């Protein structure tokens, strides 16, 4: 089975990427509001309530703007981040929205997907990109890179989609 990957939003006004495999539906970042999210997910025939998780690369507003409204509408969907990102969000006006479950270098299973955070250079608390295992294939998701050290090149090695 092939994964579905779709950019829902990209740019300074909001970022979000959808990755789906079977019954597993994951968002990377949520920089858009619920109306835009519903419309964008509708393009891939997915409803927000079907989401398995939201994983965050970092705490900048163009990556997390939609979190409060999302949490209010779909409180059952876990929002996961690195410990530093989760702490930074908790200290902000948004409060404790993200769980600090994503540790760089440690694979985290999310249904049919497995996500391995990779530390990146960016002006944020503990930013990460992700290597995502979709069955026997891999893809890599990296945003806002300040530079690309060797661990990022290693994470991208063998990926079918970057």
């Amino acid at each position: 089975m092939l994964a579905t990957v779709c950019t829902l939003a990209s740019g300074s006004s909001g970022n979000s990427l959808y990755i789906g495999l079977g019954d597993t539906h994951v968002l990377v970042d949520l920089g858009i509001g619920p109306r835009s999210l519903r419309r964008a997910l509708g393009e891939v025939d997915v409803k927000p309530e079907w989401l398995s998780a939201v994983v965050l690369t970092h705490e900048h507003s163009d990556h997390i703007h939609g979190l409060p409204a999302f949490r209010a509408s779909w409180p059952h969907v876990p929002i996961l981040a690195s410990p530093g990102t989760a702490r930074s969000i908790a200290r902000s006006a948004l409060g404790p929205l993200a769980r600090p479950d994503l540790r760089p270098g440690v694979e985290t299973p999310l249904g049919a997907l497995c996500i391995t955070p990779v530390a990146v250079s960016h002006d944020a608390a503990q930013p990460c990109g992700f290597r995502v295992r979709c069955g026997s294939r891999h893809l890599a998701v990296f945003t806002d890179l300040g530079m690309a050290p060797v661990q990022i090149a290693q994470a991208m090695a063998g990926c079918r989609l970057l």
Side-chain angles (χ1 to χ4, degrees):
M1 179 184 312
L2 294 177
T4 299
V5 180
C6 181
T7 300
L8 304 180
S10 179
S12 58
S13 61
N15 294 280
S16 190
L17 177 82
Y18 167 77
I19 305 170
L21 182 63
D23 290 336
T24 302
H25 308 281
V26 173
L27 291 184
V28 176
D29 291 334
L30 188 51
I32 57 177
R35 191 171 32 244
S36 296
L37 178 64
R38 276 191 190 279
R39 185 176 59 253
L41 285 175
E43 297 291 323
V44 289
D45 295 322
V46 173
K47 295 182 179 182
E49 55 267 24
W50 298 351
L51 290 170
S52 308
V54 176
V55 297
L56 303 175
T57 59
H58 64 289
E59 71 275 11
H60 290 166
S61 64
D62 58 322
H63 294 263
I64 67 166
H65 173 77
L67 288 181
F70 181 85
R71 171 58 72 220
S73 297
W74 301 287
H76 68 282
V77 178
I79 299 170
L80 310 176
S82 69
T85 297
R87 273 192 308 274
S88 182
I89 293 169
R91 285 192 300 257
S92 75
L94 299 178
L97 292 174
R99 295 181 358 204
D101 293 353
L102 300 178
R103 301 197 182 279
V106 178
E107 188 175 71
T108 300
L110 292 173
L113 304 174
C114 287
I115 296 179
T116 303
V118 178
V120 299
S121 173
H122 188 48
D123 61 342
Q126 190 181 19
C128 294
F130 302 108
R131 181 177 173 98
V132 182
R133 183 164 46 92
C134 310
S136 62
R137 297 182 179 176
H138 292 85
L139 64 98
V141 179
F142 290 94
T143 66
D144 296 359
L145 292 175
M147 61 177 138
V150 70
Q151 71 262 24
I152 293 174
Q154 291 168 340
M156 292 180 177
C159 289
R160 302 276 299 231
L161 180 65
L162 302 175

